[in-house]
Amino acid sequence: MSTTAQLFEEPFDADEYIERLAWRTPGGGSKGGAEAFDPKRLLEEFENHIEELKHLDEKIQRRVEKLEHQCHREAKEFAHKVQDLQRSNQVAFQHFQELDEHISYVATKVCHLGDQLEGVNTPRQRAVEAQRLMTYFNEFLDGELRSDVFNNPEKIKEAADIIQKLHLIAQELPFDRFADVKAKIASKYHDLERQLIQEFTAAQRRGEIGRMQEVAAVLLHFKGYAHCVDVYIKQCQEGAYMRSDVFEDTALLCQRVNKQVGEVFQSPETVMTKLIQNIFENKLQAHVKEKLDETRRSDVEQYLKNLYDLYTRTTALASKLTEFNLGSDKHTFLSKLIKNIFSTYLESYIEMEKDYLRTRSAMILQRYYDSKNHQKRPQGGGSIQELKERIRQRTNLPLGPSIDTHGETFLSQEVVVNLLQETRHAFERCNRLSDPSDLPKNAFSIFLLLVEHLCMDHIDYALEIGLSAIPSADAKNANLYFLDVVQQANTIFHLFDKQFNDHLMPLISSSPKLTECLHKKKEVIEQMEVKLDTGIDRTLNCMVGQMKHILATEQKKTDFRPEDENNVMIQCTAACSKVCVYVSRQVERVRKSMDGKNVDTVLTELGVRFHRLIHEHLQQYSYSSMGGMLAICDVAEYRKSAKDFRVIFSSIIPTQHQSSSNPLFHTKMS
């Protein structure tokens, strides 16, 4: 049996088990050995071993049954013990309930007894307190303070409590009988109040937070408590403003004091509110007044910069101060403080902004014209000027003598950048300094000044000068500078439009002023487009006139009827070559001066007029057979030149010039 038990060693494997059993049996090995393989002996061994296993199984089964029986018996015993414990627990719980009820009953009796004792003791204490106060009152009545509490400086806290109560009692006494004693009590009251404030001040200088807290608690019931707070506020500002940055100093001061007031005073938010109010109404207001009053009349530009900077930094400081406990309505409180400081300056801000912007813009323009030695021509108004403008728009005729600008466009990107920069600063200040209800209106007024000086006084004036400088169509060797004016005006207006979208739109996007601004912008664009259209149309007329002059002076009748047709080179005529060279230069100028669809529009119109000119020109001559060949060469050269336009011409060529009241093209500036 022990051998069998050894075969059951863990981990158990049935195959391994059989193999080991066969190996242990003499003659049972499968690989041979000292004895030959004996199947009968192996079978006998297996049968014996099976019997042993059966006996082992029966033994183990009996043992299992015994253990199960023992387990059931112990489980029943444990269940009985648990039931006994539950019954004991219920009994104990009932005892605890009875004890709790008894304790509650006793506590009720004790409370009732305490109330009765308190009812008896309170009047007694009041009587004792009244007697004590009467004793002290008698001392004041006699005029001699004998009690140690009034003469010992270390008992000032107790003396303060007594004198505060006596002061309240004295207020109720008739003046005619107790005038003298009331005066003595009042004198002692004020004397102790002064001593407490001095003690608080000394403790603050020594940095004794605990002593400050004790004195502040005593002074809380005195009328001089507010004076104590004022002294604290005044003293905590001593040495706080040592640097030149008053705003940073204020932020650091408030952070330091905020930690201290919570330990010293019972209502720290009230003290912080009073401190901030004191700083705003004294330190900051004096600083703002000093900075602004010194430049208000002498340097408006610096005044506006200072106003913007001071207001911005003050609002930033107010935002930092909202981190502190200043009561439930701290945002309104801080807004009122800021308004009290800047109200007088903000009321007149927009008028000063407009006056400065108007003066500054005029100075920038005048400085530019002075640098060009140009005396600005007054832009006329009234009925005569309007009549001239209407005639020019409807007839496209130059009114008045043509002037020579010597190639000057009178447009400067430097001037434009300066004007836009000044206006951008004005928009930024307007956004910060204007009341939200007035912001759209103020922004619109600044926009009108930009339109007046940039669009009217600079761009429109340059267009007027450019129109006046365009020579007549029959002028010879005319310099056409109006295309340069178009190029620069288009570039400038792109900058104007960018500022309109980036800086003006956010200020007016949600107000009715948006419609007015868009209407004004559209009106200005249309006014300039009309002048650009007129100028470009007249410039094209000059180009065609120059081509006509070349053809008239260079083209001879013998070009198409040569005298010796046998000795003629088949090539384009000299007039054709010069015209094509001139056209190529003008096409290149148009491409440099314009962008987008404007290039195609202008080149299409120039091509139509070029075609009409050549068509009418070739119809004036009679041709020989050889001259026809030369004319074909000219036409081929003209066609080659027309290809440089890189536009698709309409198959129907107009034979009559259209009226300028219906523009041939529309130059878009935006």
Side-chain angles (χ1 to χ4, degrees):
M1 187 62 68
S2 61
T3 302
T4 303
Q6 292 177 1
L7 293 175
F8 280 102
E9 294 179 356
E10 295 292 339
F12 178 76
D13 185 355
D15 295 336
E16 181 67 19
Y17 178 78
I18 298 299
E19 186 65 29
R20 292 172 65 186
L21 180 61
W23 179 77
R24 286 170 178 263
T25 303
S30 59
K31 297 180 180 180
E35 298 181 10
F37 177 69
D38 187 355
K40 290 183 179 181
R41 192 171 182 178
L42 182 61
L43 176 60
E44 183 182 354
E45 184 64 25
F46 278 170
E47 289 175 349
N48 293 334
H49 194 74
I50 289 172
E51 290 298 327
E52 289 181 5
L53 289 176
K54 287 180 180 180
H55 291 305
L56 179 62
D57 179 64
E58 291 174 357
K59 183 179 179 180
I60 292 173
Q61 189 64 32
R62 285 193 301 270
R63 187 178 179 185
V64 169
E65 291 175 354
K66 181 180 179 181
L67 291 174
E68 286 180 350
H69 178 71
Q70 183 180 356
C71 181
H72 287 308
R73 186 179 68 254
E74 291 180 355
K76 289 180 181 180
E77 292 176 357
F78 181 76
H80 289 305
K81 288 181 180 181
V82 170
Q83 289 177 357
D84 293 340
L85 289 174
Q86 286 179 344
R87 284 192 294 270
S88 300
N89 184 56
Q90 289 178 354
V91 172
F93 181 73
Q94 290 176 357
H95 290 168
F96 276 118
Q97 281 185 330
E98 294 174 358
L99 182 60
D100 184 62
E101 291 175 357
H102 187 66
I103 291 174
S104 298
Y105 174 76
V106 173
T108 304
K109 290 293 185 180
V110 170
C111 290
H112 179 66
L113 181 60
D115 292 340
Q116 289 180 338
L117 291 175
E118 184 178 2
V120 174
N121 187 52
T122 300
R124 179 179 175 279
Q125 286 182 344
R126 290 177 181 174
V128 172
E129 180 69 16
Q131 183 182 11
R132 188 169 68 95
L133 291 175
M134 289 173 65
T135 303
Y136 295 132
F137 185 81
N138 287 332
E139 293 184 10
F140 280 97
L141 195 61
D142 296 339
E144 184 180 357
L145 301 179
R146 298 178 298 274
S147 299
D148 182 60
V149 69
F150 293 121
N151 299 312
N152 189 350
E154 296 181 359
K155 295 184 178 182
I156 189 173
K157 182 178 179 181
E158 183 180 351
D161 180 64
I162 294 171
I163 201 66
Q164 193 268 338
K165 293 177 180 178
L166 289 176
H167 186 263
L168 293 177
I169 295 172
Q171 302 298 319
E172 304 296 330
L173 298 177
F175 182 79
D176 53 349
R177 294 178 56 189
F178 298 96
D180 186 52
V181 69
K182 290 177 69 172
K184 293 178 181 178
I185 292 175
S187 176
K188 189 63 176 178
Y189 177 89
H190 294 302
D191 183 56
L192 281 174
E193 187 178 64
R194 178 179 53 79
Q195 292 181 33
L196 287 170
I197 293 176
Q198 290 177 351
E199 178 65 22
F200 181 87
T201 304
Q204 183 178 1
R205 287 175 178 167
R206 295 192 300 267
E208 297 177 359
I209 303 299
R211 183 58 179 166
M212 291 171 62
Q213 183 182 14
E214 292 178 5
V215 177
V218 175
L219 278 170
L220 182 63
H221 303 290
F222 280 76
K223 295 180 180 180
Y225 178 73
H227 182 60
C228 172
V229 174
D230 293 338
V231 170
Y232 172 78
I233 290 174
K234 180 180 178 181
Q235 191 161 316
C236 70
Q237 295 183 59
E238 294 179 358
Y241 294 94
M242 303 299 294
R243 298 179 296 179
S244 59
D245 192 343
V246 64
F247 297 97
E248 189 64 27
D249 288 340
T250 299
L252 294 175
L253 171 64
C254 292
Q255 288 178 355
R256 175 171 57 83
V257 173
N258 183 62
K259 298 177 181 178
Q260 193 176 80
V261 293
E263 302 174 358
V264 175
F265 298 97
Q266 295 186 8
S267 55
E269 67 278 359
T270 305
V271 180
M272 279 301 298
T273 300
K274 200 167 185 178
L275 170 65
I276 292 173
Q277 183 176 358
N278 181 273
I279 293 174
F280 270 73
E281 293 179 350
N282 294 284
K283 199 70 179 179
L284 291 184
Q285 189 162 15
H287 177 72
V288 170
K289 182 177 177 60
E290 178 187 0
K291 287 288 186 180
L292 295 181
D293 288 355
E294 66 182 3
T295 58
R296 188 166 190 173
R297 299 187 182 278
S298 60
D299 189 349
V300 179
E301 179 183 7
Q302 190 61 42
Y303 167 79
L304 291 172
K305 289 180 179 179
N306 289 345
L307 178 60
Y308 174 79
D309 179 65
L310 291 171
Y311 189 83
T312 301
R313 299 194 67 186
T314 304
T315 53
L317 174 62
S319 298
K320 291 182 180 179
L321 297 180
T322 55
E323 301 174 0
F324 306 132
N325 183 13
L326 304 177
S328 59
D329 203 10
K330 53 187 174 183
H331 294 284
T332 304
F333 166 71
L334 292 171
S335 298
K336 287 182 179 179
L337 293 179
I338 296 174
K339 185 177 180 181
N340 291 337
I341 294 177
F342 291 96
S343 58
T344 56
Y345 304 104
L346 297 182
E347 288 174 358
S348 59
Y349 154 70
I350 192 61
E351 294 302 325
M352 296 190 70
E353 183 73 77
K354 291 193 294 185
D355 290 342
Y356 165 73
L357 189 59
R358 188 180 293 109
T359 304
R360 178 67 176 172
S361 300
M363 184 189 72
I364 292 173
L365 291 172
Q366 188 59 46
R367 187 169 57 192
Y368 168 71
Y369 294 126
D370 290 344
S371 68
K372 299 295 182 181
N373 294 322
H374 173 73
Q375 183 65 36
K376 192 175 180 183
R377 299 169 59 191
Q379 291 181 276
S383 57
I384 297 178
Q385 183 66 22
E386 293 176 0
L387 179 61
K388 287 183 178 181
E389 185 65 26
R390 290 183 180 180
I391 293 175
R392 183 171 62 187
Q393 291 181 11
R394 293 182 179 276
T395 63
N396 200 19
L397 295 176
L399 300 178
S402 174
I403 63 174
D404 187 5
T405 61
H406 303 287
E408 180 60 54
T409 62
F410 292 103
L411 287 173
S412 168
Q413 287 198 20
E414 181 182 357
V415 170
V416 172
V417 169
N418 290 335
L419 291 175
L420 292 176
Q421 185 175 8
E422 292 292 343
T423 310
R424 178 173 62 83
H425 293 326
F427 280 136
E428 291 175 353
R429 290 191 290 264
C430 177
N431 185 30
R432 173 68 66 179
L433 302 176
S434 295
D435 188 86
S437 60
D438 296 331
L439 177 59
K441 178 183 66 175
N442 294 344
F444 180 65
S445 63
I446 294 175
F447 171 69
L448 291 180
L449 289 175
L450 177 63
V451 170
E452 176 185 349
H453 292 96
L454 176 61
C455 299
M456 297 293 103
D457 292 348
H458 192 55
I459 303 177
D460 190 73
Y461 177 74
L463 294 179
E464 287 286 346
I465 296 296
L467 287 172
S468 302
I470 298 176
S472 60
D474 55 354
K476 300 177 181 178
N477 298 322
N479 291 323
L480 304 178
Y481 296 110
F482 191 79
L483 291 178
D484 297 332
V485 176
V486 173
Q487 179 186 11
Q488 294 188 31
N490 194 30
T491 301
I492 291 171
F493 203 84
H494 280 306
L495 297 176
F496 168 79
D497 190 58
K498 186 177 187 303
Q499 184 167 95
F500 182 90
N501 294 325
D502 293 347
H503 296 94
L504 178 61
M505 285 294 290
L507 306 183
I508 61 172
S509 58
S510 58
S511 73
K513 286 294 179 182
L514 175 61
T515 305
E516 294 185 45
C517 287
L518 294 175
H519 177 73
K520 184 64 179 178
K521 179 185 174 186
K522 181 181 178 183
E523 179 183 325
V524 171
I525 292 175
E526 291 177 349
Q527 180 179 343
M528 293 186 181
E529 285 179 346
V530 168
K531 293 183 179 181
L532 288 170
D533 290 342
T534 302
I536 294 174
D537 188 58
R538 287 171 54 188
T539 300
L540 295 184
N541 286 341
C542 290
M543 292 180 183
V544 174
Q546 188 67 22
M547 287 185 257
K548 188 180 296 185
H549 174 71
I550 294 173
L551 292 173
T553 55
E554 299 293 335
Q555 194 84 68
K556 301 184 176 76
K557 292 184 178 181
T558 57
D559 287 345
F560 301 116
R561 295 187 67 85
E563 297 178 357
D564 185 5
E565 294 191 358
N566 295 325
N567 192 20
V568 175
M569 295 182 64
I570 306 301
Q571 62 182 9
C572 63
T573 62
C576 174
S577 297
K578 290 186 177 182
V579 168
C580 290
V581 170
Y582 178 80
V583 169
S584 178
R585 288 202 305 267
Q586 301 312 315
V587 168
E588 189 64 26
R589 287 193 64 185
V590 170
R591 293 192 182 280
K592 290 181 179 179
S593 302
M594 300 181 189
D595 56 6
K597 295 182 179 179
N598 291 332
V599 177
D600 294 342
T601 303
V602 175
L603 289 181
T604 299
E605 179 61 24
L606 178 60
V608 169
R609 299 187 186 189
F610 176 50
H611 175 274
R612 183 187 302 119
L613 173 66
I614 300 303
H615 181 265
E616 294 175 354
H617 172 71
L618 293 177
Q619 286 183 339
Q620 297 176 3
Y621 298 92
S622 58
Y623 303 89
S624 64
S625 57
M626 185 57 66
M629 295 296 294
L630 295 175
I632 291 174
C633 290
D634 281 2
V635 171
E637 191 67 23
Y638 290 137
R639 288 170 60 88
K640 181 180 178 182
S641 180
K643 288 182 180 179
D644 293 339
F645 285 48
R646 296 198 292 273
V647 293
I648 301 176
F649 297 107
S650 174
S651 59
I652 302 176
I653 305 300
T655 58
Q656 186 175 0
H657 185 68
Q658 302 177 38
S659 172
S660 62
S661 62
N662 182 18
L664 297 171
F665 45 82
H666 201 53
T667 308
K668 291 294 181 184
M669 300 181 63
S670 60

